């Protein structure tokens, strides 16, 4: 299929983009000197006092924290100019600086919440068959057409959304992926990928398109990764990282944390290894019993989750890498981000789900516009309950407040999107989630109370 010639957004200010890219080049030449100078300029230009204070905070962190300073310097020096000028600009300027205000404006104008990004599966096909895959029960034969994806990206930009995340399946088996990203050069794209398809040719394409960053899935070291993903997977992922690092691509990791690997993937040795490989960010996801062969015994214990609530923030401030904890970082994002509040999921059949792990839907993107699916009663039922708990360490309606998910599905009339999706609502798995939510609640409430006691004592 051949897409029509790109028609870049005419409303964008070319001179502004060109100036910003020149500034990025200037900073990259001597980040230790030029990054603080840039922040001084930004502070002078900032109109609102809160923006000036934000710049002061960034400057102080850069000046006082060696790990953050090393991280920013590494980004400035190591990224290929094409990646720096497209991905960095699109994500920071288009998706954040320009995009978020437009999202808020469109939300007020249209009377519907506009999220920050969309998670979409171009295809459910995959070259691996990982044990416990969250998407393992979807049909492997589904794919979205490139025409519908092209239109989705255009619809998104009209609402101020310039950040798209791919999952699957394996996104890199989708034949139209790079054509679509090249067509929408003003957007930032990320993909969760097993990395096994990234060879020399594809690594070159990633740098050439510029606005794309892959997050390569790992379970820990070779033995644990290969046990879940198949023999040789770890070595192929390492080869992919080497190829990307050599070319100056921006790439990260995606780690499913289980009861069995929690200490391994958060160890100093493993984190330092990732930094040496060139990884610049990481997404960590606590195992959720959904998809292929769900196993509640793989869920992290309350004690392990409490450890992660301390360990991941420590890594962010003591290592030159940024790692997110999808559940324990609820305080940073004010609770659950799903259900169209900050993001939602479109699977490869086009079914619009509130979350990658909540496999229920009412609408299909193949039958409706983006704006129409944002008006979904399923999303409305989600958003009126968010945050699901006043303790933001208990943000999730699957594992923290499971009764909320039952109420949402019942109220909206949403249907399961594959066989077994409703086991999180009833039966043995649901009963385990109820028990675990209570166990974690007791631990989380103690942590929450202590954190706020310390903030109050510190005058925050």
């Amino acid at each position: 299929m051949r897409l029509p010639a790109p028609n870049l957004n005419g409303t964008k200010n070319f001179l502004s983009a060109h100036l910003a890219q020149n500034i990025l080049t200037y900073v990259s030449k001597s980040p230790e000197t030029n990054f603080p100078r840039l922040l001084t300029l930004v502070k002078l230009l900032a109109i609102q006092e809160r923006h000036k204070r934000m710049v002061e905070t960034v400057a102080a962190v850069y000046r006082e924290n060696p790990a953050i300073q090393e991280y920013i310097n590494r980004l400035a020096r190591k990224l290929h100019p094409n990646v720096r000028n497209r991905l960095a600009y699109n994500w920071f300027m288009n998706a954040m600086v320009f995009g978020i205000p437009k999202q808020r404006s469109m939300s007020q104008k249209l009377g519907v919440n506009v999220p920050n990004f969309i998670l979409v599966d171009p295809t459910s096909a995959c070259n691996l068959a990982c044990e416990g895959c969250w998407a393992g029960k979807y049909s492997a034969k589904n794919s979205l057409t490139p025409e519908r994806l092209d239109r989705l990206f255009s619809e998104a930009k009209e609402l101020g959304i310039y950040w798209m995340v791919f999952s699957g399946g394996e996104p890199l088996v989708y034949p139209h992926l790079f054509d679509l990203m090249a067509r929408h050069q003003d957007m930032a794209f990320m993909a969760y990928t097993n990395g096994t398809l990234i060879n020399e040719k594809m690594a070159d394409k990633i740098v050439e398109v510029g606005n794309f960053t892959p997050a390569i899935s790992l379970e820990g070291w070779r033995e644990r990764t290969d046990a879940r993903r198949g023999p040789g997977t770890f070595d192929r992922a390492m080869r992919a990282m080497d190829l990307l690092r050599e070319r100056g691509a921006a790439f990260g990791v995606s780690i499913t944390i289980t009861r069995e690997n929690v200490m391994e993937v958060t160890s100093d040795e493993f984190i330092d290894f990732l930094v040496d490989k060139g990884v610049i960010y990481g997404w960590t996801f606590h195992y959720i019993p959904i998809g292929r062969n769900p196993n509640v015994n793989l869920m992290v214990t309350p004690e392990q989750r409490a450890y992660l609530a301390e360990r991941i923030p420590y890594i962010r401030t003591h290592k030159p890498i940024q790692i997110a904890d999808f559940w324990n970082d609820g305080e940073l994002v004010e609770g659950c981000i799903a259900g169209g509040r900050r993001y939602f999921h479109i699977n490869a059949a086009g079914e619009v789900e509130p979350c990658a792990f909540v496999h229920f839907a009412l609408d299909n993107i193949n039958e409706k516009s983006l704006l129409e699916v944002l008006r979904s009663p399923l999303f409305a039922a989600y958003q009126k309950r968010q945050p699901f708990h006043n303790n933001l360490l208990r943000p999730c309606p699957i594992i923290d407040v499971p009764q909320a998910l039952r109420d949402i599905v019942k109220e909206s009339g949403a249907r399961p999107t594959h066989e077994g999706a409703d086991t999180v609502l009833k039966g043995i798995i649901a009963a385990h989630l109820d028990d675990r939510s209570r166990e974690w609640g007791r631990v989380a409430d103690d942590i929450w109370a202590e954190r706020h006691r310390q903030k109050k004592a510190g005058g925050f």
Side-chain angles (χ1 to χ4, degrees):
M1 178 267 176
R2 188 177 181 83
L3 291 167
N7 178 20
L8 298 179
N9 191 339
T11 63
K12 290 297 178 188
N13 189 321
F14 173 79
L15 292 178
S16 174
H18 187 66
L19 175 61
Q21 290 166 4
N22 285 340
I23 291 173
L24 289 172
T25 301
Y26 166 74
V27 170
S28 70
K29 292 179 179 179
S30 179
E32 296 90 345
T33 301
N34 295 339
F35 185 68
R37 289 177 177 174
L38 173 62
L39 292 178
T40 300
L41 175 61
V42 173
K43 181 182 175 182
L44 288 173
L45 295 175
I47 298 175
Q48 296 186 16
E49 282 301 317
R50 66 186 184 93
H51 290 158
K52 293 181 183 293
R53 290 194 297 270
M54 289 170 62
V55 174
E56 290 174 353
T57 299
V58 172
V61 169
Y62 180 80
R63 183 174 59 251
E64 298 167 7
N65 189 312
I68 298 299
Q69 187 173 125
E70 181 182 348
Y71 178 73
I72 293 175
N73 294 350
R74 185 159 66 102
L75 290 179
R77 286 197 176 98
K78 299 297 185 181
L79 292 183
H80 188 281
N82 199 42
V83 175
R84 186 177 62 231
N85 292 340
R86 290 188 180 179
L87 182 65
Y89 179 82
N90 289 351
W91 195 83
F92 285 106
M93 298 302 294
N94 287 349
M96 307 298 288
V97 175
F98 299 143
I100 291 178
K102 185 175 181 181
Q103 292 160 17
R104 292 173 178 169
S105 174
M106 296 302 289
S107 294
Q108 293 179 345
K109 177 181 178 181
L110 299 171
V112 62
N113 191 72
V114 177
N116 302 132
F117 69 98
I118 300 171
L119 176 68
V120 59
D121 305 345
T123 179
S124 57
C126 187
N127 61 322
L128 300 181
C130 303
E131 179 61 29
C133 174
W134 64 271
K137 281 293 187 73
Y138 292 128
S139 169
K141 299 179 180 179
N142 293 327
S143 288
L144 294 167
T145 67
E147 293 88 356
R148 185 61 192 99
L149 286 172
D150 180 48
R151 192 166 75 254
L152 173 66
F153 301 162
S154 296
E155 289 176 307
K157 287 186 286 187
E158 290 174 1
L159 298 176
I161 304 170
Y162 286 85
W163 183 19
M164 286 285 166
V165 181
F166 300 126
S167 59
E170 169 51 54
L172 295 182
V173 307
Y174 189 73
H176 313 288
L177 198 69
F178 284 88
D179 288 341
L180 284 162
M181 293 189 296
R183 176 173 170 76
H184 294 274
Q185 292 182 1
D186 52 350
M187 300 188 79
F189 296 93
M190 193 197 89
Y192 295 110
T193 171
N194 58 50
T196 62
L197 300 178
I198 299 177
N199 54 21
E200 288 85 350
K201 182 178 180 180
M202 184 171 289
D204 288 339
K205 289 173 66 175
I206 288 172
V207 172
E208 180 183 355
V209 75
N211 59 345
F212 173 58
T213 172
I216 298 173
S217 298
L218 294 176
E219 314 304 320
W221 298 111
R222 179 182 291 104
E223 181 180 358
R224 201 172 297 279
T225 296
D226 287 0
R228 186 183 186 201
R229 298 181 173 274
T233 302
F234 180 84
D235 289 340
R236 293 163 73 184
M238 294 303 101
R239 175 59 176 157
M241 289 184 179
D242 290 341
L243 294 171
L244 294 169
R245 184 189 67 250
E246 291 164 4
R247 287 159 173 78
F251 65 96
V253 291
S254 172
I255 300 172
T256 299
I257 299 184
T258 71
R259 184 180 304 187
E260 298 173 349
N261 72 352
V262 60
M263 300 306 293
E264 181 173 319
V265 298
T266 59
S267 67
D268 284 337
E269 182 184 13
F270 189 72
I271 298 300
D272 292 342
F273 172 78
L274 295 179
V275 172
D276 290 342
K277 275 292 179 181
V279 173
I280 63 174
Y281 65 89
W283 293 98
T284 64
F285 300 90
H286 303 186
Y287 173 80
I288 301 294
I290 190 72
R292 181 183 292 124
N293 302 326
N295 181 359
V296 295
N297 293 322
L298 289 177
M299 297 180 67
V300 297
T301 66
E303 293 75 21
Q304 289 174 328
R305 188 168 171 182
Y307 161 78
L308 290 169
E310 298 298 326
R311 177 61 178 168
I312 298 297
Y314 177 89
I315 291 171
R316 285 197 291 256
T317 55
H318 290 75
K319 303 287 185 180
I321 187 173
Q322 288 300 294
I323 295 182
D325 183 331
F326 201 76
W327 280 269
N328 285 342
D329 282 340
E331 187 172 9
L332 297 179
V333 292
E334 301 177 324
C336 171
I337 65 173
R341 175 177 170 257
R342 294 290 179 263
Y343 100 105
F344 66 95
H345 178 229
I346 302 172
N347 67 30
E351 295 164 314
V352 180
E353 301 172 335
C355 174
F357 304 100
V358 177
H359 298 175
F360 294 85
L362 284 174
D363 302 304
N364 193 299
I365 201 67
N366 292 317
E367 300 165 358
K368 295 184 177 182
S369 68
L370 174 57
L371 180 57
E372 287 175 319
V373 303
L374 289 178
R375 299 187 189 278
S376 169
L378 177 56
F379 289 177
Y382 244 80
Q383 291 166 24
K384 76 178 185 181
R385 292 173 168 84
Q386 290 169 317
F388 293 106
H389 200 283
N390 57 13
N391 180 343
L392 298 181
L393 290 170
R394 303 169 66 179
C396 179
I398 313 171
I399 62 174
D400 296 326
V401 193
Q403 185 58 45
L405 184 57
R406 297 186 185 104
D407 293 342
I408 288 168
V409 171
K410 181 179 180 180
E411 177 181 310
S412 65
R415 64 186 183 281
T417 53
H418 62 73
E419 182 182 0
D422 57 352
T423 57
V424 297
L425 303 182
K426 58 186 179 182
I428 296 175
I429 289 178
H432 185 89
L433 293 176
D434 285 334
D435 291 341
R436 179 53 55 82
S437 69
R438 286 189 289 268
E439 293 169 0
W440 168 242
R442 289 190 287 269
V443 175
D445 286 349
D446 288 342
I447 298 173
W448 185 256
E450 176 61 19
R451 283 187 178 182
H452 284 264
R453 185 194 67 78
Q454 292 177 0
K455 286 183 179 180
K456 186 176 180 179
F460 292 101

